[in-house]
Amino acid sequence: MSFQEKKTLFYLLSTFLIFGSYCLYVFQNAPFGILDQEDPFRFWGLFVIVLIPVTIVAKIILHILFSIINRMVTNENEPSFADELDKLIDLKATRVSHYTFSMGTVLAMGTLALGMTPNTMFVTFVGFAFLSEVAGYIAQLYYYRRGV
C-alpha cells in the first residue's frame, strides 16, 4: 500500500472516530429534550461552530501522530511533494465531495420546503457534511487503487 493510500485510509478512519466521538459526547451531555424545543437554532449553531475547531485540532494532532508512527514502522519519510497524479486524484475526490455536499444542502432545504422541522434540516445538513468528507476519502482510495 502506498503512503498516500495509507494516509487516506487513516484520515477516513479518523473522520469516523472524530465525528462519532463528538456526536456521542454532545448528545449524551445535551439537556433532555433539547431537540424538542421551539427554537433549535442555538443548539445546532453551537454544534456546528464547536465541531469545526474540534475537527481541525484533532486532525492536526492525528496527522502528526500518523507521521511519527508511519516513520517508526516503515522507516520511510513522508513525500515532500505531490506529483500530477496526486493533484489529479485530489481534484477528482474534491469534486465528489462537493457534489455530495451540494446534494445534501439541496435535500436539507427540501426538508423545510416539505414542512419538516428545522431539526430534520440540520440533521440532514450535518449528516451530508460528514458524508461528503467520507465520500471524498473513499474516492481518493478508489482513484489511487484504480488509477485515473
Side-chain angles (χ1 to χ4, degrees):
M1 190 180 272
S2 71
F3 177 81
Q4 288 85 359
E5 288 174 306
K6 287 188 277 188
K7 185 171 80 170
T8 303
L9 187 60
F10 179 78
Y11 284 159
L12 178 63
L13 295 174
S14 68
T15 298
F16 280 105
L17 177 71
I18 293 166
F19 187 75
S21 336
Y22 179 75
C23 286
L24 189 66
Y25 173 78
V26 167
F27 290 115
Q28 279 185 345
N29 294 321
F32 183 76
I34 191 79
L35 297 178
D36 298 330
Q37 291 179 350
E38 295 279 331
D39 186 25
F41 297 109
R42 183 173 188 279
F43 171 78
W44 286 107
L46 282 171
F47 182 90
V48 172
I49 291 298
V50 173
L51 176 63
I52 292 169
V54 165
T55 302
I56 290 171
V57 169
K59 287 210 177 220
I60 289 170
I61 292 169
L62 288 173
H63 177 74
I64 292 169
L65 287 174
F66 173 76
S67 296
I68 291 170
I69 292 170
N70 185 58
R71 173 79 171 134
M72 288 177 7
V73 171
T74 64
N75 204 21
E76 67 180 25
N77 290 329
E78 182 176 345
S80 60
F81 64 92
D83 59 5
E84 283 83 21
L85 179 65
D86 292 334
K87 291 177 184 177
L88 184 61
I89 288 173
D90 189 44
L91 284 173
K92 287 183 176 244
T94 301
R95 180 181 63 191
V96 168
S97 179
H98 285 175
Y99 283 159
T100 305
F101 186 75
S102 297
M103 182 178 64
T105 302
V106 170
L107 286 173
M109 293 301 118
T111 61
L112 289 178
L114 292 173
M116 296 180 183
T117 65
N119 282 325
T120 307
M121 188 266 303
F122 283 113
V123 167
T124 305
F125 183 73
V126 169
F128 269 91
F130 169 72
L131 286 177
S132 71
E133 189 171 0
V134 169
Y137 288 137
I138 289 173
Q140 273 185 340
L141 282 174
Y142 175 76
Y143 288 128
Y144 275 119
R145 283 287 176 175
R146 182 188 141 245
V148 179

mmCIF file of all heavy atoms in Angstrom, residues 19 27 35 40 43-44 47-48 104 107-108 111 117-131:
data_model
loop_
_atom_site.group_PDB
_atom_site.id
_atom_site.type_symbol
_atom_site.label_atom_id
_atom_site.label_comp_id
_atom_site.label_asym_id
_atom_site.label_seq_id
_atom_site.Cartn_x
_atom_site.Cartn_y
_atom_site.Cartn_z
ATOM 1 N N PHE A 19 -15.903 12.402 14.381
ATOM 2 C CA PHE A 19 -17.319 12.772 14.283
ATOM 3 C C PHE A 19 -18.175 11.923 15.221
ATOM 4 O O PHE A 19 -19.065 12.441 15.899
ATOM 5 C CB PHE A 19 -17.813 12.642 12.838
ATOM 6 C CG PHE A 19 -19.197 13.164 12.621
ATOM 7 C CD1 PHE A 19 -19.437 14.529 12.575
ATOM 8 C CD2 PHE A 19 -20.262 12.304 12.482
ATOM 9 C CE1 PHE A 19 -20.719 15.022 12.390
ATOM 10 C CE2 PHE A 19 -21.547 12.777 12.294
ATOM 11 C CZ PHE A 19 -21.775 14.143 12.241
ATOM 12 N N PHE A 27 -24.525 14.524 22.351
ATOM 13 C CA PHE A 27 -25.887 14.037 22.586
ATOM 14 C C PHE A 27 -26.042 13.344 23.935
ATOM 15 O O PHE A 27 -27.149 13.250 24.448
ATOM 16 C CB PHE A 27 -26.345 13.149 21.436
ATOM 17 C CG PHE A 27 -26.575 13.948 20.174
ATOM 18 C CD1 PHE A 27 -25.792 13.731 19.062
ATOM 19 C CD2 PHE A 27 -27.542 14.921 20.125
ATOM 20 C CE1 PHE A 27 -25.984 14.468 17.906
ATOM 21 C CE2 PHE A 27 -27.745 15.672 18.985
ATOM 22 C CZ PHE A 27 -26.965 15.442 17.867
ATOM 23 N N LEU A 35 -33.719 18.737 21.581
ATOM 24 C CA LEU A 35 -34.138 18.717 20.188
ATOM 25 C C LEU A 35 -35.631 18.945 20.014
ATOM 26 O O LEU A 35 -36.102 19.140 18.905
ATOM 27 C CB LEU A 35 -33.733 17.382 19.541
ATOM 28 C CG LEU A 35 -32.238 17.131 19.487
ATOM 29 C CD1 LEU A 35 -31.951 15.771 18.883
ATOM 30 C CD2 LEU A 35 -31.528 18.208 18.702
ATOM 31 N N PRO A 40 -34.537 25.389 17.832
ATOM 32 C CA PRO A 40 -33.362 24.514 17.867
ATOM 33 C C PRO A 40 -32.110 25.167 17.274
ATOM 34 O O PRO A 40 -31.046 24.578 17.272
ATOM 35 C CB PRO A 40 -33.800 23.331 17.004
ATOM 36 C CG PRO A 40 -34.725 23.949 16.012
ATOM 37 C CD PRO A 40 -35.456 25.033 16.767
ATOM 38 N N PHE A 43 -28.899 25.401 19.535
ATOM 39 C CA PHE A 43 -28.231 24.113 19.722
ATOM 40 C C PHE A 43 -27.435 23.733 18.490
ATOM 41 O O PHE A 43 -26.259 23.365 18.583
ATOM 42 C CB PHE A 43 -29.264 23.025 20.053
ATOM 43 C CG PHE A 43 -28.676 21.647 20.058
ATOM 44 C CD1 PHE A 43 -27.924 21.205 21.132
ATOM 45 C CD2 PHE A 43 -28.859 20.788 18.976
ATOM 46 C CE1 PHE A 43 -27.370 19.928 21.140
ATOM 47 C CE2 PHE A 43 -28.311 19.517 18.978
ATOM 48 C CZ PHE A 43 -27.568 19.085 20.056
ATOM 49 N N TRP A 44 -28.053 23.788 17.311
ATOM 50 C CA TRP A 44 -27.359 23.366 16.100
ATOM 51 C C TRP A 44 -26.267 24.340 15.698
ATOM 52 O O TRP A 44 -25.249 23.934 15.136
ATOM 53 C CB TRP A 44 -28.365 23.164 14.967
ATOM 54 C CG TRP A 44 -29.154 21.911 15.189
ATOM 55 C CD1 TRP A 44 -30.457 21.820 15.570
ATOM 56 C CD2 TRP A 44 -28.665 20.576 15.079
ATOM 57 N NE1 TRP A 44 -30.819 20.501 15.699
ATOM 58 C CE2 TRP A 44 -29.736 19.709 15.402
ATOM 59 C CE3 TRP A 44 -27.438 20.012 14.747
ATOM 60 C CZ2 TRP A 44 -29.615 18.321 15.387
ATOM 61 C CZ3 TRP A 44 -27.321 18.634 14.733
ATOM 62 C CH2 TRP A 44 -28.397 17.806 15.050
ATOM 63 N N PHE A 47 -23.480 23.373 17.892
ATOM 64 C CA PHE A 47 -22.998 22.064 17.458
ATOM 65 C C PHE A 47 -22.001 22.216 16.307
ATOM 66 O O PHE A 47 -20.900 21.664 16.340
ATOM 67 C CB PHE A 47 -24.187 21.201 17.017
ATOM 68 C CG PHE A 47 -23.812 19.814 16.583
ATOM 69 C CD1 PHE A 47 -23.762 18.787 17.503
ATOM 70 C CD2 PHE A 47 -23.533 19.538 15.256
ATOM 71 C CE1 PHE A 47 -23.420 17.495 17.111
ATOM 72 C CE2 PHE A 47 -23.191 18.259 14.857
ATOM 73 C CZ PHE A 47 -23.132 17.239 15.787
ATOM 74 N N VAL A 48 -22.366 23.000 15.301
ATOM 75 C CA VAL A 48 -21.513 23.168 14.116
ATOM 76 C C VAL A 48 -20.301 24.043 14.429
ATOM 77 O O VAL A 48 -19.173 23.720 14.032
ATOM 78 C CB VAL A 48 -22.330 23.748 12.944
ATOM 79 C CG1 VAL A 48 -21.436 24.116 11.779
ATOM 80 C CG2 VAL A 48 -23.389 22.750 12.502
ATOM 81 N N GLY A 104 -26.617 17.279 -0.497
ATOM 82 C CA GLY A 104 -27.116 17.318 0.871
ATOM 83 C C GLY A 104 -27.722 18.658 1.234
ATOM 84 O O GLY A 104 -28.733 18.718 1.950
ATOM 85 N N LEU A 107 -31.113 18.779 -0.387
ATOM 86 C CA LEU A 107 -32.039 17.923 0.358
ATOM 87 C C LEU A 107 -32.410 18.537 1.709
ATOM 88 O O LEU A 107 -33.560 18.430 2.152
ATOM 89 C CB LEU A 107 -31.445 16.536 0.562
ATOM 90 C CG LEU A 107 -31.406 15.639 -0.669
ATOM 91 C CD1 LEU A 107 -30.645 14.354 -0.366
ATOM 92 C CD2 LEU A 107 -32.808 15.328 -1.146
ATOM 93 N N ALA A 108 -31.449 19.173 2.374
ATOM 94 C CA ALA A 108 -31.745 19.816 3.662
ATOM 95 C C ALA A 108 -32.750 20.948 3.481
ATOM 96 O O ALA A 108 -33.678 21.107 4.286
ATOM 97 C CB ALA A 108 -30.454 20.331 4.292
ATOM 98 N N THR A 111 -36.221 19.552 2.968
ATOM 99 C CA THR A 111 -36.960 19.127 4.163
ATOM 100 C C THR A 111 -37.793 20.280 4.719
ATOM 101 O O THR A 111 -38.907 20.062 5.190
ATOM 102 C CB THR A 111 -36.014 18.598 5.257
ATOM 103 O OG1 THR A 111 -35.107 19.621 5.654
ATOM 104 C CG2 THR A 111 -35.268 17.375 4.778
ATOM 105 N N THR A 117 -39.467 19.668 10.387
ATOM 106 C CA THR A 117 -38.937 20.549 11.432
ATOM 107 C C THR A 117 -37.525 21.027 11.083
ATOM 108 O O THR A 117 -36.815 20.383 10.300
ATOM 109 C CB THR A 117 -38.879 19.807 12.775
ATOM 110 O OG1 THR A 117 -37.942 18.738 12.666
ATOM 111 C CG2 THR A 117 -40.238 19.269 13.170
ATOM 112 N N PRO A 118 -37.102 22.137 11.684
ATOM 113 C CA PRO A 118 -35.723 22.588 11.482
ATOM 114 C C PRO A 118 -34.693 21.565 11.956
ATOM 115 O O PRO A 118 -33.599 21.487 11.404
ATOM 116 C CB PRO A 118 -35.633 23.868 12.312
ATOM 117 C CG PRO A 118 -37.032 24.374 12.372
ATOM 118 C CD PRO A 118 -37.892 23.144 12.402
ATOM 119 N N ASN A 119 -35.037 20.763 12.976
ATOM 120 C CA ASN A 119 -34.117 19.714 13.416
ATOM 121 C C ASN A 119 -33.816 18.732 12.292
ATOM 122 O O ASN A 119 -32.677 18.295 12.127
ATOM 123 C CB ASN A 119 -34.688 18.957 14.617
ATOM 124 C CG ASN A 119 -34.535 19.735 15.897
ATOM 125 O OD1 ASN A 119 -33.556 20.443 16.084
ATOM 126 N ND2 ASN A 119 -35.511 19.605 16.772
ATOM 127 N N THR A 120 -34.828 18.381 11.512
ATOM 128 C CA THR A 120 -34.633 17.477 10.383
ATOM 129 C C THR A 120 -33.687 18.103 9.365
ATOM 130 O O THR A 120 -32.822 17.427 8.812
ATOM 131 C CB THR A 120 -35.985 17.146 9.713
ATOM 132 O OG1 THR A 120 -36.892 16.676 10.705
ATOM 133 C CG2 THR A 120 -35.819 16.114 8.623
ATOM 134 N N MET A 121 -33.850 19.389 9.124
ATOM 135 C CA MET A 121 -32.978 20.087 8.189
ATOM 136 C C MET A 121 -31.537 20.058 8.682
ATOM 137 O O MET A 121 -30.615 19.774 7.907
ATOM 138 C CB MET A 121 -33.443 21.531 8.005
ATOM 139 C CG MET A 121 -32.713 22.292 6.910
ATOM 140 S SD MET A 121 -31.294 23.294 7.383
ATOM 141 C CE MET A 121 -31.946 24.394 8.563
ATOM 142 N N PHE A 122 -31.320 20.330 9.958
ATOM 143 C CA PHE A 122 -29.959 20.361 10.490
ATOM 144 C C PHE A 122 -29.327 18.979 10.528
ATOM 145 O O PHE A 122 -28.131 18.828 10.249
ATOM 146 C CB PHE A 122 -29.925 21.012 11.872
ATOM 147 C CG PHE A 122 -30.029 22.500 11.825
ATOM 148 C CD1 PHE A 122 -31.143 23.138 12.332
ATOM 149 C CD2 PHE A 122 -29.020 23.265 11.263
ATOM 150 C CE1 PHE A 122 -31.243 24.520 12.284
ATOM 151 C CE2 PHE A 122 -29.114 24.644 11.220
ATOM 152 C CZ PHE A 122 -30.232 25.273 11.721
ATOM 153 N N VAL A 123 -30.106 17.973 10.878
ATOM 154 C CA VAL A 123 -29.582 16.608 10.872
ATOM 155 C C VAL A 123 -29.174 16.217 9.451
ATOM 156 O O VAL A 123 -28.107 15.635 9.231
ATOM 157 C CB VAL A 123 -30.611 15.612 11.454
ATOM 158 C CG1 VAL A 123 -30.212 14.181 11.166
ATOM 159 C CG2 VAL A 123 -30.769 15.830 12.944
ATOM 160 N N THR A 124 -29.999 16.555 8.471
ATOM 161 C CA THR A 124 -29.679 16.266 7.076
ATOM 162 C C THR A 124 -28.432 17.023 6.648
ATOM 163 O O THR A 124 -27.534 16.450 6.014
ATOM 164 C CB THR A 124 -30.862 16.657 6.162
ATOM 165 O OG1 THR A 124 -32.039 16.002 6.614
ATOM 166 C CG2 THR A 124 -30.587 16.280 4.717
ATOM 167 N N PHE A 125 -28.346 18.278 7.006
ATOM 168 C CA PHE A 125 -27.204 19.110 6.617
ATOM 169 C C PHE A 125 -25.901 18.595 7.236
ATOM 170 O O PHE A 125 -24.896 18.399 6.543
ATOM 171 C CB PHE A 125 -27.459 20.561 7.036
ATOM 172 C CG PHE A 125 -26.385 21.506 6.622
ATOM 173 C CD1 PHE A 125 -26.240 21.894 5.304
ATOM 174 C CD2 PHE A 125 -25.495 22.015 7.559
ATOM 175 C CE1 PHE A 125 -25.243 22.759 4.919
ATOM 176 C CE2 PHE A 125 -24.487 22.883 7.183
ATOM 177 C CZ PHE A 125 -24.358 23.260 5.860
ATOM 178 N N VAL A 126 -25.911 18.347 8.535
ATOM 179 C CA VAL A 126 -24.709 17.864 9.225
ATOM 180 C C VAL A 126 -24.357 16.453 8.759
ATOM 181 O O VAL A 126 -23.180 16.129 8.557
ATOM 182 C CB VAL A 126 -24.895 17.919 10.757
ATOM 183 C CG1 VAL A 126 -23.791 17.200 11.483
ATOM 184 C CG2 VAL A 126 -24.989 19.363 11.227
ATOM 185 N N GLY A 127 -25.354 15.624 8.541
ATOM 186 C CA GLY A 127 -25.108 14.270 8.060
ATOM 187 C C GLY A 127 -24.454 14.261 6.688
ATOM 188 O O GLY A 127 -23.508 13.509 6.440
ATOM 189 N N PHE A 128 -24.928 15.115 5.788
ATOM 190 C CA PHE A 128 -24.322 15.170 4.464
ATOM 191 C C PHE A 128 -22.954 15.859 4.486
ATOM 192 O O PHE A 128 -22.112 15.572 3.636
ATOM 193 C CB PHE A 128 -25.254 15.841 3.450
ATOM 194 C CG PHE A 128 -26.137 14.865 2.742
ATOM 195 C CD1 PHE A 128 -27.385 14.553 3.237
ATOM 196 C CD2 PHE A 128 -25.706 14.225 1.592
ATOM 197 C CE1 PHE A 128 -28.195 13.635 2.604
ATOM 198 C CE2 PHE A 128 -26.505 13.309 0.945
ATOM 199 C CZ PHE A 128 -27.756 13.009 1.447
ATOM 200 N N ALA A 129 -22.721 16.743 5.435
ATOM 201 C CA ALA A 129 -21.373 17.313 5.583
ATOM 202 C C ALA A 129 -20.388 16.205 5.944
ATOM 203 O O ALA A 129 -19.281 16.121 5.390
ATOM 204 C CB ALA A 129 -21.371 18.406 6.644
ATOM 205 N N PHE A 130 -20.793 15.342 6.857
ATOM 206 C CA PHE A 130 -19.970 14.186 7.229
ATOM 207 C C PHE A 130 -19.808 13.236 6.046
ATOM 208 O O PHE A 130 -18.705 12.787 5.731
ATOM 209 C CB PHE A 130 -20.603 13.475 8.426
ATOM 210 C CG PHE A 130 -20.001 12.142 8.737
ATOM 211 C CD1 PHE A 130 -18.735 12.043 9.288
ATOM 212 C CD2 PHE A 130 -20.695 10.977 8.465
ATOM 213 C CE1 PHE A 130 -18.169 10.806 9.570
ATOM 214 C CE2 PHE A 130 -20.152 9.745 8.748
ATOM 215 C CZ PHE A 130 -18.878 9.659 9.297
ATOM 216 N N LEU A 131 -20.908 12.920 5.375
ATOM 217 C CA LEU A 131 -20.858 12.004 4.236
ATOM 218 C C LEU A 131 -20.019 12.548 3.082
ATOM 219 O O LEU A 131 -19.374 11.774 2.371
ATOM 220 C CB LEU A 131 -22.270 11.696 3.733
ATOM 221 C CG LEU A 131 -23.091 10.765 4.596
ATOM 222 C CD1 LEU A 131 -24.501 10.611 4.019
ATOM 223 C CD2 LEU A 131 -22.426 9.413 4.719
#
